Amino acid sequence: MNNRNKYFQLRLTPEEYASLKAKSTAYTSVSHYIRSAIAEYSDVNARQKLELLNDLGEFYRKFQDELSRIGGNLNQSVKRANELSVAGLLPGAYITEVLMPEISNVRSTLDTMKRELLVVTKKATKL
């Protein structure tokens, strides 16, 4: 049997002590909580998974606003092109000077997203 007869002394502020006690309520003891935390933190895969989750969160935050803005611009451009087309007033220059640059921006953004998502996916598959 593995007897636990060694001890470790740790000095804490009253706030740190209260925080440790509060966080350990789901465990059988504070010692059990600390052992579990050490085991989890020391696990390389757990740390890599946490880093991966952070990378994914950063990825989604980075592109969410940009995609919304570009999508709105593209919708406005296509709507306007449709209005002009129905009225017979759509010159060819509108397509080349307005629509195509917007479509190119969307394509560029999507290509960047694909590249960055590929990097994150490669990290995830290595775990």
Side-chain angles (χ1 to χ4, degrees):
M1 185 170 174
N2 194 4
N3 292 329
R4 291 191 169 114
N5 56 10
K6 300 291 181 187
Y7 70 95
F8 185 84
Q9 190 173 12
L10 178 67
R11 295 183 186 274
L12 302 170
T13 66
E15 294 81 15
E16 290 170 331
Y17 180 79
S19 175
L20 186 61
K21 287 293 272 184
K23 290 178 181 178
S24 66
T25 57
Y27 294 83
T28 56
S29 66
V30 174
S31 296
H32 180 224
Y33 169 71
I34 291 171
R35 282 188 209 98
S36 297
I38 289 170
E40 188 174 318
Y41 182 76
S42 298
D43 182 8
V44 173
N45 284 337
R47 280 188 281 159
Q48 288 175 339
K49 288 176 185 177
L50 182 59
E51 288 174 13
L52 177 62
L53 287 173
N54 287 334
D55 289 348
L56 282 171
E58 182 181 329
F59 171 81
Y60 288 117
R61 283 187 299 276
K62 179 178 178 181
F63 287 108
Q64 182 178 8
D65 292 338
E66 191 171 346
L67 279 175
S68 294
R69 190 185 82 254
I70 289 172
N73 290 345
L74 185 59
N75 284 340
Q76 289 175 3
S77 299
V78 172
K79 180 181 177 185
R80 184 68 177 143
N82 187 45
E83 290 170 352
L84 292 172
S85 177
V86 168
L89 302 172
L90 182 65
Y94 183 82
I95 292 174
T96 58
E97 295 173 8
V98 177
L99 283 180
M100 291 310 293
E102 284 298 322
I103 292 170
S104 293
N105 286 341
V106 170
R107 183 178 203 139
S108 175
T109 299
L110 291 175
D111 288 343
T112 301
M113 289 175 67
K114 286 180 188 177
R115 282 191 304 272
E116 292 193 21
L117 187 56
L118 180 63
V119 169
V120 173
T121 303
K122 283 183 180 180
K123 281 185 185 180
T125 56
K126 289 181 183 179
L127 296 181

